[in-house]
Amino acid sequence: MLNKVEHIGIAVKNLERSNSLFAKLVGKPHYKVEKVESEHVATSFFMLGETKIELLEATSPDSAIAKFIEKKGEGIHHIAYDVDDIHAEMERLRNEGFELIHQEPKKGADNKLICFLHPKSTNGILIELCQEIK
Ligand code: ZN
């Protein structure tokens, strides 16, 4: 079962500029900036109640974020759902016929184990599962 929406990922061209834009939008500054070297992204997070906004900037032209922006421009990139047991959810969703982009969870930003579902199996939405690493 998927729990709450943990965060919404937004692809941006310039993290610094978007950090100040979103600080004005939500009324408070981001609480962390984190690079995820394996994904070639720099991220920042804003907390809004129980949900976060994750801004993502490509740090390399090979980054999925660079390719996304090239194709679609800036905007909503993924929706992330909190799960209690990512291995069990991956197994459940695989059995339900969803296509997982990777077959094992990866270490993501913000102290999470993550896995993405392919948008072609989810009505065009890139979905991230994330489990807090305790
Ligand atoms: Zn995310």
Side-chain angles (χ1 to χ4, degrees):
M1 186 181 76
L2 305 183
N3 301 327
K4 64 181 182 177
V5 173
E6 212 280 335
H7 64 268
I8 296 170
I10 299 173
V12 303
K13 287 182 183 163
N14 182 306
L15 195 62
E16 218 177 286
R17 269 208 306 266
S18 296
N19 277 340
S20 44
L21 178 75
F22 274 78
K24 281 185 220 164
L25 178 71
V26 304
K28 60 181 172 182
H30 61 282
Y31 67 91
K32 79 150 86 172
V33 171
E34 187 178 344
K35 278 196 176 165
V36 185
E37 299 292 350
S38 59
E39 300 293 307
H40 307 290
V41 292
T43 65
S44 67
F45 286 88
F46 293 80
M47 184 76 78
L48 286 88
E50 289 219 318
T51 304
K52 298 164 189 162
I53 290 176
E54 174 186 37
L55 302 182
L56 302 119
E57 178 198 59
T59 55
S60 141
D62 300 332
S63 159
I65 295 300
K67 288 171 190 151
F68 177 88
I69 288 178
E70 201 174 294
K71 244 164 77 183
K72 299 186 173 169
E74 294 178 299
I76 293 180
H77 177 258
H78 64 271
I79 297 179
Y81 292 93
D82 176 66
V83 298
D84 295 326
D85 180 345
I86 196 165
H87 289 95
E89 277 310 297
M90 287 170 71
E91 186 58 28
R92 183 182 72 81
L93 292 166
R94 205 180 277 130
N95 290 336
E96 293 284 8
F98 292 97
E99 186 180 329
L100 277 56
I101 291 180
H102 24 265
Q103 302 310 312
E104 286 298 322
K106 302 205 286 186
K107 174 94 174 58
D110 205 30
N111 196 40
K112 298 280 195 291
L113 281 177
I114 64 165
C115 170
F116 285 97
L117 304 189
H118 199 289
K120 74 181 176 202
S121 65
T122 54
N123 283 165
I125 302 161
L126 179 61
I127 289 179
E128 177 185 345
L129 308 178
C130 60
Q131 178 193 337
E132 180 138 33
I133 300 170
K134 300 220 166 108

